[in-house]
């Protein structure tokens, strides 16, 4: 009798462990499987916010293509009928089709006020099934890991056990062509310290030029044909007084980085264009361009000034 009881107890114990196991995968259909390959939880203590970044693999083992437009889900807290009051969110679907017997991915993030939510995850709208983010091994990031020391032109922005983000503007150039002032070779660097593919919170650069609009000085000539040397020679003084400059916002371009492969390091060359704008070289501002690097999720907010040549 004791032997039977012992066997029964072992069987129940095995069932209990099996029932509590966390499965990061979900079967959309017989041949379509969704897997949380990476989840990052970002806590910003200063702003009292939580961000979840997630990377989803979609494996299509069928003989026909799968249209990702058929996949509809909501990020929510399990057990709550209310939608999360998101302050920021986005979803990236590089390809709408998962070809037969191939794999694709979805990357996304959502940020919301930290109200001590217990179980955030994906609810599939058709079935109402729930896949908790905590079923995957959640990596964590915090605003306390922001690098605070700033010296020189190449410095860290953020560093954890998983990820290093830094910047380098030692090679930055300011040029003028086709009527625009353009900053190039401003690098933001990312390094994956792990041996797995990870989703990342990337840094967005913003630029401000303390300068002039070409439209305000059309009488000075055709700016679309001028070079930087021509701009340096412009005399905008009126009765010996300097012209008024203004703060002009730039348009950033270069990259939108979603994830890094194992131990991958990327140096992203960003550029910022100040359309129909130029530096006023007779004005006393020796550092007319400010570039701000921002990541709302972590709380990165670092700015540097570029010297005119």
């Amino acid at each position: 009798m004791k032997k039977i009881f012992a066997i029964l107890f072992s069987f129940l114990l095995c069932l209990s462990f099996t029932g509590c196991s966390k499965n990061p995968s979900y079967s959309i259909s017989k041949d379509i499987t969704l897997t949380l390959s990476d989840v990052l939880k970002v806590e910003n203590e200063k702003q009292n916010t939580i961000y979840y970044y997630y990377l989803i693999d979609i494996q299509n083992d069928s003989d026909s293509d799968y249209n990702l437009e058929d996949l509809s889900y909501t990020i929510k807290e399990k057990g709550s009928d209310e939608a999360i009051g998101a302050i920021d969110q986005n979803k990236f679907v590089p390809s709408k089709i998962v070809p037969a017997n191939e794999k694709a991915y979805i990357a996304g993030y959502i940020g919301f006020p930290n109200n001590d939510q217990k179980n955030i995850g994906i609810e599939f709208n058709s079935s109402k099934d729930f896949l908790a983010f905590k079923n995957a091994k959640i990596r964590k990031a915090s605003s306390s890991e922001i690098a605070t020391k700033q010296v020189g032109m190449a410095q860290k922005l953020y560093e954890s056990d998983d990820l290093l983000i830094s910047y380098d503007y030692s090679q930055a150039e300011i040029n003028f062509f086709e009527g625009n002032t353009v900053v190039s070779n401003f690098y933001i660097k990312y390094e994956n310290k792990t041996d797995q593919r990870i989703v990342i919170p990337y840094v967005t650069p913003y630029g401000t030029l303390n300068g002039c609009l070409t439209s305000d000085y059309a009488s000075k000539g055709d700016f679309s044909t001028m070079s930087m040397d021509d701009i340096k020679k412009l005399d905008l003084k009126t009765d010996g007084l300097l012209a008024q400059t203004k703060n002009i916002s730039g348009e950033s371009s270069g990259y939108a980085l979603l994830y890094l492969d194992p131990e991958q390091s990327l140096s992203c060359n960003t550029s910022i264009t100040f359309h129909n704008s130029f530096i006023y070289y007779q004005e006393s501002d020796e550092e007319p361009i400010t570039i701000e690097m921002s990541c709302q999720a972590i709380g990165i907010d670092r700015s540097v000034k570029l010297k005119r040549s």
Side-chain angles (χ1 to χ4, degrees):
M1 187 70 179
K2 289 182 178 179
K3 184 177 181 181
I4 294 175
F5 179 79
I7 294 173
L8 181 60
F9 178 78
S10 298
F11 176 72
L12 291 174
L13 187 63
C14 180
L15 279 180
S16 68
F17 277 115
T18 302
C20 293
S21 63
K22 296 179 179 180
N23 187 356
S25 297
Y26 173 78
S27 295
I28 300 171
S29 65
K30 178 182 177 181
D31 299 313
I32 310 295
T33 304
L34 176 154
T35 302
L36 289 169
S37 63
D38 188 47
V39 177
L40 173 67
K41 180 182 180 181
V42 184
E43 295 188 61
N44 187 332
E45 292 88 350
K46 293 181 179 180
Q47 299 296 327
N48 195 36
T49 59
I50 297 286
Y51 273 72
Y52 279 95
Y53 286 76
Y54 56 90
L55 190 61
I56 299 172
D57 287 335
I58 310 290
Q59 179 67 49
N60 181 2
D61 291 324
S62 71
D63 295 327
S64 58
D65 294 345
Y66 177 70
N67 192 335
L68 284 174
E69 291 183 350
D70 296 333
L71 177 62
S72 177
Y73 63 83
T74 303
I75 307 296
K76 63 178 301 182
E77 182 178 13
K78 186 176 183 179
S80 174
D81 295 328
E82 298 181 3
I84 292 177
I87 56 177
D88 188 17
Q89 61 180 321
N90 210 337
K91 181 171 70 174
F92 306 93
V93 185
S95 174
K96 292 183 179 181
I97 299 296
V98 186
N101 298 301
E102 291 189 20
K103 180 186 289 186
Y105 73 90
I106 297 172
Y109 66 82
I110 184 169
F112 47 86
N114 184 4
N115 294 320
D116 196 30
Q117 293 88 347
K118 299 299 184 184
N119 194 358
I120 305 297
I122 297 172
E123 182 179 270
F124 299 93
N125 295 337
S126 58
S127 65
K128 299 302 179 183
D129 291 335
F130 186 81
L131 178 60
F133 283 148
K134 65 183 181 182
N135 281 17
K137 182 181 179 181
I138 296 180
R139 296 182 299 112
K140 294 184 178 181
S142 168
S143 58
S144 64
E145 295 167 320
I146 295 174
T148 56
K149 186 178 179 180
Q150 180 180 348
V151 180
M153 296 182 175
Q155 291 297 316
K156 296 176 182 178
L157 285 170
Y158 170 85
E159 185 171 22
S160 66
D161 292 338
D162 300 336
L163 176 67
L164 171 63
I165 307 176
S166 60
Y167 66 94
D168 183 352
Y169 63 105
S170 61
Q171 303 175 62
E173 296 180 356
I174 304 173
N175 292 296
F176 184 85
F177 56 92
E178 296 183 351
N180 306 314
T181 296
V182 179
V183 175
S184 59
N185 297 332
F186 189 104
Y187 292 93
I188 299 180
K189 300 181 178 182
Y190 301 84
E191 179 184 341
N192 179 1
K193 297 182 179 182
T194 77
D195 58 0
Q196 68 181 59
R197 186 174 62 165
I198 62 172
V199 65
I200 68 163
Y202 67 88
V203 173
T204 302
Y206 300 95
T208 303
L209 165 65
N210 179 23
C212 299
L213 294 172
T214 58
S215 57
D216 292 339
Y217 299 94
S219 62
K220 296 296 180 179
D222 184 358
F223 283 90
S224 66
T225 64
M226 291 185 186
S227 66
M228 182 62 88
D229 288 337
D230 295 327
I231 294 298
K232 291 178 180 179
K233 297 173 185 177
L234 281 178
D235 185 2
L236 307 182
K237 293 179 182 177
T238 302
D239 297 329
L241 298 176
L242 294 173
Q244 292 293 315
T245 58
K246 57 186 70 176
N247 288 330
I248 302 163
S249 297
E251 180 183 13
S252 302
S253 60
Y255 76 98
L257 191 59
L258 307 179
Y259 66 88
L260 291 171
D261 287 327
E263 299 180 348
Q264 183 180 22
S265 180
L266 282 179
S267 186
C268 301
N269 186 350
T270 64
S271 63
I272 300 178
T273 301
F274 301 93
H275 294 284
N276 305 313
S277 307
F278 62 93
I279 296 173
Y280 183 26
Y281 275 86
Q282 278 68 52
E283 206 264 344
S284 60
D285 192 349
E286 297 291 333
E287 298 176 320
I289 293 177
T290 302
I291 295 181
E292 180 179 325
M293 295 158 284
S294 175
C295 179
Q296 183 177 352
I298 302 177
I300 294 172
D301 186 9
R302 182 80 57 81
S303 63
V304 298
K305 289 184 175 291
L306 301 185
K307 292 183 178 181
R308 66 192 192 189
S309 57

